[in-house]
Amino acid sequence: MNKIKKLLIAVVGACVIFGMGTFKAKAASFAVYYIDMQKILNESFQGKKAKTELESKIKEANSKLKKLQDEIEQIKKELSSPLISKKMKQEKENEIQTKILQYRQIQQESQKLLTQLQRELTSKIVNDVFKIVKQYRKAHHIPMIVEKNEAGIISADPKYDLTDKILKLYSRAGK
């Protein structure tokens, strides 16, 4: 009986040892590939184009706001004149209030539109990149590709970084 227990323990131990060896071999052959979406957004042709478009809209909005701000400053100067009548002073104060409300309204609308535009442009780029990543993954028989920042990768071997390859494919697709 004692010999049977020892033999059984030896067999179970061997299975565990050989099983762990197989698991380690499988784990060593598995790699997680990743991309850095922020780098693609910043460096791709399409990302640069979207950034330029967004900056143009920002300049346009700032121009409108600057014009209103200048008008408000001009009215304030007119109000500081000692020769201004009470009636004219009241009209100028009302005009300032109206301009200030316009300024705030344009500022809020511009911010909302710019945020929406940025979201739309980024979303389109991300969707297009994900399509390329899926095609690349299938073509190269890669089990998984994650986004570096979203996956919370703290440290990774650069040989598994596909960012530059995907960036080239994506930039080529947009030209």
Side-chain angles (χ1 to χ4, degrees):
M1 200 73 159
N2 226 359
K3 286 183 182 181
I4 295 174
K5 279 186 179 179
K6 286 182 182 178
L7 182 62
L8 188 59
I9 290 172
V11 170
V12 169
C15 288
V16 169
I17 290 170
F18 289 120
M20 291 293 256
T22 305
F23 177 73
K24 285 181 184 176
K26 286 181 182 176
S29 68
F30 181 77
V32 176
Y33 291 82
Y34 61 94
I35 62 167
D36 184 345
M37 185 58 77
Q38 195 60 50
K39 181 176 179 180
I40 293 171
L41 286 168
N42 290 335
E43 296 181 15
S44 67
F45 169 77
Q46 298 88 328
K48 289 177 182 178
K49 183 179 173 186
K51 185 177 179 180
T52 302
E53 183 180 341
L54 194 59
E55 287 173 350
S56 170
K57 297 289 184 185
I58 290 170
K59 284 182 183 177
E60 187 179 309
N62 284 340
S63 175
K64 286 180 184 177
L65 292 172
K66 176 74 171 123
K67 182 181 175 192
L68 270 174
Q69 192 174 18
D70 290 344
E71 289 174 11
I72 291 169
E73 290 302 316
Q74 181 60 38
I75 296 169
K76 283 182 180 179
K77 285 181 184 176
E78 292 171 8
L79 273 172
S80 64
S81 170
L83 303 175
I84 194 168
S85 68
K86 281 190 171 191
K87 183 179 178 187
M88 185 61 89
K89 186 175 184 176
Q90 185 61 44
E91 287 175 13
K92 294 292 180 184
E93 286 174 353
N94 290 340
E95 191 176 349
I96 282 181
Q97 293 303 319
T98 302
K99 297 280 184 192
I100 290 172
L101 288 174
Q102 286 175 345
Y103 182 91
R104 288 180 182 157
Q105 185 179 10
I106 290 173
Q107 190 177 35
Q108 288 173 351
E109 288 173 2
S110 296
Q111 185 62 42
K112 184 179 173 183
L113 290 173
L114 291 171
T115 301
Q116 181 182 346
L117 179 63
Q118 182 179 18
R119 200 174 313 129
E120 288 171 5
L121 293 172
T122 302
S123 177
K124 180 174 179 358
I125 292 170
V126 168
N127 289 335
D128 291 346
V129 169
F130 281 0
K131 288 176 188 172
I132 290 171
V133 168
K134 286 178 184 178
Q135 292 170 353
Y136 186 90
R137 186 192 65 74
K138 286 180 185 176
H140 292 85
H141 308 290
I142 296 172
M144 179 183 356
I145 300 173
V146 297
E147 202 288 316
K148 181 181 179 182
N149 300 311
E150 292 295 320
I153 295 175
I154 296 169
S155 177
D157 191 334
K159 73 180 181 183
Y160 299 112
D161 186 355
L162 300 174
T163 304
D164 291 333
K165 291 176 184 175
I166 299 298
L167 179 59
K168 285 178 188 174
L169 290 171
Y170 181 59
S171 288
R172 240 185 271 142
K175 287 186 178 180

